[in-house]
Amino acid sequence: MLPTLYIDHLVFRVEDLEPTAKFYRALLGEPTAQGKDFLVYKIGDATLFFTPSARPSAPYNKELPGLNHLALGVHDPADLRKIEDHLNNSGLKHSGIGIDSHGGKEYIWFNDPNGFRLEFYCRPASE
């Protein structure tokens, strides 16, 4: 049996770090660290790294094998509404608040400049 695990870090390879940095600054604020060839954010205990790809690739398609999306969670529906306001005020296009057809929970989804699907998902703490 494995011990309790957590997500330590995720690494995203991107074609152009500049629009990625601009997008994530609008979304999450200032990065934890940034250099010529990297961008770092902390989300809870997890670290997100963005680094340039060694070569161009086909446009990202979340329906092909690989990562479909990254969901960041909140426990309070009011927090999801604050996130929606933040996205609107930052000029970031998004789905608006919807209801997950599988779990019946509220969410907002959107894509970053690389086509990576991101989601804010509300799972009330009482569940």
Side-chain angles (χ1 to χ4, degrees):
M1 180 59 101
L2 292 174
T4 301
L5 301 173
Y6 63 93
I7 302 294
D8 183 77
H9 68 275
L10 300 163
V11 178
F12 297 90
R13 299 276 190 242
V14 301
E15 282 197 47
D16 190 345
L17 198 55
E18 189 174 319
T20 299
K22 181 179 178 183
F23 175 88
Y24 283 95
R25 260 197 192 83
L27 179 64
L28 301 172
E30 289 301 311
T32 305
Q34 182 174 9
K36 178 183 164 197
D37 60 350
F38 69 90
L39 178 67
V40 179
Y41 279 95
K42 282 292 271 187
I43 305 290
D45 289 335
T47 304
L48 305 181
F49 293 93
F50 298 90
T51 61
S53 173
R55 61 180 191 259
S57 64
Y60 185 78
N61 183 337
K62 72 180 188 67
E63 298 306 328
L64 293 177
L67 180 69
N68 178 267
H69 70 278
L70 173 63
L72 304 173
V74 296
H75 293 296
D76 187 336
D79 287 338
L80 194 62
R81 281 150 186 74
K82 289 178 188 174
I83 290 168
E84 182 180 38
D85 288 343
H86 174 72
L87 293 171
N88 289 337
N89 292 335
S90 299
L92 299 175
K93 294 181 182 180
H94 59 89
S95 66
I97 295 175
I99 303 292
D100 175 18
S101 62
H102 301 289
K105 306 291 186 274
E106 291 182 312
Y107 68 89
I108 299 170
W109 65 260
F110 51 101
N111 294 333
D112 84 352
N114 308 286
F116 297 140
R117 174 66 49 97
L118 303 170
E119 179 180 45
F120 286 103
Y121 196 83
C122 184
R123 186 179 311 278
S126 61
E127 296 181 18

